[in-house]
Amino acid sequence: MSERENKPNTSNWFMWFDVRHRDIGDWAFVLHRLTALGLVLYLGMHLIVLGTLTLGPEAFNSFIELAHNPLFIFGELLVVAAALYHGLNGLRVGLTSFGVAIPYQKQLWYVVMAIAVIGSIIFAISMFTA
Ligand code: HEM
């Protein structure tokens, strides 16, 4: 596929997520966008769950029971990983937007990925062994 065909625009929005034949910077962007969407979805679900807590202690206790489910804990781990990546990469994007460290933006992304992966592993260990 030529670079021109692979250029995203509003009529072929799915191309935003198509990283084939693209550079590492596009992977960084797609991951930033996916984690952003994931965090927005989580924020909505979080507010809905908090809303059910106003229904009384039974609702609260049944939520706490659900929160101990390994699938739920895995979902929380995805939120942590997404927040780590999105926050750190957001700082990288912010820096380069202000003209700071532009020649090193690729190396900075590797640092972001390393911290996000190592941080997620540390969180995974503490979440699943607690
Ligand atoms: C430390 C915290 C955060 C930082 C430093 C940060 C930074 C950024 C930056 C710099 C962008 C623009 C990226 C670009 O122009 O290429 C962005 C986009 C975005 N962020 Fe964050 N962000 C943070 C937390 C969050 C959270 C908690 C949410 C959701 C609840 C969120 C949702 C979004 C969304 C929806 C976009 C638009 C993504 C897109 O258009 O692809 N961000 N963020």
Side-chain angles (χ1 to χ4, degrees), residues 6-8 12-39 82 85-86 89-90 92-93 109 113:
N6 203 18
K7 277 258 185 304
N12 61 352
W13 58 268
F14 46 89
M15 286 293 194
W16 288 335
F17 303 104
D18 184 358
V19 286
R20 287 173 301 166
H21 313 291
R22 299 221 205 163
D23 198 12
I24 198 82
D26 299 300
W27 284 83
F29 168 76
V30 168
L31 208 50
H32 196 84
R33 181 159 277 184
L34 285 177
T35 52
L37 291 174
L39 289 172
Y85 175 78
H86 188 92
N89 191 54
R92 183 188 71 96
V93 171
W109 187 71
M113 281 307 281

Side-chain angles (χ1 to χ4, degrees), residues 42-52:
Y42 170 75
L43 186 63
M45 289 183 342
H46 186 61
L47 293 177
I48 291 170
V49 165
L50 286 183
T52 66

Side-chain angles (χ1 to χ4, degrees), residues 41-93:
L41 182 72
Y42 170 75
L43 186 63
M45 289 183 342
H46 186 61
L47 293 177
I48 291 170
V49 165
L50 286 183
T52 66
L53 298 183
T54 60
L55 300 175
E58 287 83 23
F60 180 79
N61 288 338
S62 67
F63 168 69
I64 293 296
E65 214 168 288
L66 176 72
H68 285 105
N69 185 305
L71 206 63
F72 194 95
I73 297 174
F74 181 72
E76 284 180 329
L77 179 62
L78 287 183
V79 172
V80 169
L84 270 175
Y85 175 78
H86 188 92
L88 291 169
N89 191 54
L91 293 178
R92 183 188 71 96
V93 171

